[in-house]
Amino acid sequence: EMYIQGLSSSPPEDVRKAIEMLAVYYRTCLSGGRDMVTLHEELDSVSAYLSIQKMRMGRRLQTTIWTDPMLDDVLIPRLTLQPIVENSIEHGITHEQPEVSIRITSAVEGEQALIYVADDGPGFRPDMLKQLREGSYAPSNGGYGIRNVQMRLRLSFGAQYGLDFENLEGKGARTIIRIPLRESWSDEQREEQT
């Protein structure tokens, strides 16, 4: 709400674009009540979220999204990427580093799709990285987005799937989302969902 109020003095084109991105974001978040969406739909949602954040933050936020188009129909629980990207923004920007670059990429490893969310921020503190990997991380601000995503991925696909976390050599953090390839919708299933 404060962001929209802040736009009241912006050029009408900026206000229109922000409202359009909010509409895209909410439409893709709701996804017709489905718990699972295609990776393509999830990327549309996070792209809209990042567009809104870029309007708010300007040049302090840079993003790159490149995923293999062959993974577009792989199923993923809705709202998987947004909490991870939000954490990259929140923890990637510090007093020492007033801007962050976020990259979303993908790869195939055997029968698994891997989606990477990497940033060039300060990386995970060692204690935080250990807790994230153990599933015991409880942020002081009450945020449970990452734990919620981990739980939903494991309930949806099994214990061998979910999130992993690592610090990048030099600088930055990366969250890896591991999901099965075999969960793609057939054409008939896709028609039933629309």
Side-chain angles (χ1 to χ4, degrees):
E1 182 179 310
M2 290 179 67
Y3 174 66
I4 297 296
Q5 287 175 348
L7 281 175
S8 63
S9 61
S10 298
E13 182 61 28
D14 290 352
V15 175
R16 184 185 63 74
K17 185 176 179 186
I19 291 170
E20 285 176 4
M21 288 298 102
L22 279 170
V24 168
Y25 177 69
Y26 284 121
R27 184 171 45 253
T28 55
C29 285
L30 295 173
S31 64
R34 292 177 287 140
D35 291 332
M36 302 292 279
V37 296
T38 64
L39 179 58
H40 181 79
E41 291 169 314
E42 182 71 0
L43 289 168
D44 283 349
S45 177
V46 83
S47 292
Y49 172 78
L50 285 168
S51 292
I52 294 164
Q53 292 300 323
K54 283 183 188 180
M55 285 180 222
R56 186 174 70 84
M57 299 175 69
R59 301 182 80 156
R60 296 178 3 174
L61 175 61
Q62 301 298 315
T63 62
T64 304
I65 299 176
W66 186 91
T67 58
D68 188 332
M70 291 179 49
L71 298 177
D72 280 353
D73 289 335
V74 170
L75 293 180
I76 188 167
R78 72 177 168 177
L79 291 174
T80 294
L81 288 171
Q82 187 273 332
I84 296 167
V85 168
E86 183 178 350
N87 277 2
S88 287
I89 294 169
E90 182 179 330
H91 297 289
I93 293 178
T94 65
H95 291 294
E96 295 81 31
Q97 179 175 328
E99 53 190 51
V100 68
S101 177
I102 297 173
R103 295 168 313 286
I104 301 173
T105 58
S106 68
V108 174
E109 184 180 276
E111 293 298 312
Q112 298 180 351
L114 304 177
I115 298 102
Y116 302 101
V117 178
D119 66 62
D120 63 354
F124 298 113
R125 293 184 326 270
D127 62 320
M128 179 187 207
L129 183 60
K130 181 177 187 256
Q131 291 172 357
L132 284 165
R133 288 179 170 164
E134 293 171 349
S136 63
Y137 179 68
S140 58
N141 66 359
Y144 293 97
I146 297 297
R147 287 174 64 179
N148 183 307
V149 168
Q150 180 76 292
M151 181 181 68
R152 290 186 300 120
L153 287 166
R154 291 195 171 156
L155 286 173
S156 297
F157 302 123
Q160 70 271 35
Y161 300 102
L163 302 177
D164 195 12
F165 309 90
E166 62 188 15
N167 282 324
L168 299 174
E169 202 169 308
K171 182 170 145 177
R174 181 163 67 178
T175 301
I176 304 155
I177 304 162
R178 190 176 298 272
I179 57 176
L181 278 176
R182 68 179 188 278
E183 295 293 329
S184 297
W185 278 338
S186 68
D187 290 336
E188 297 84 27
Q189 289 170 316
R190 186 177 294 109
E191 288 175 15
E192 288 174 9
Q193 290 290 322
T194 56

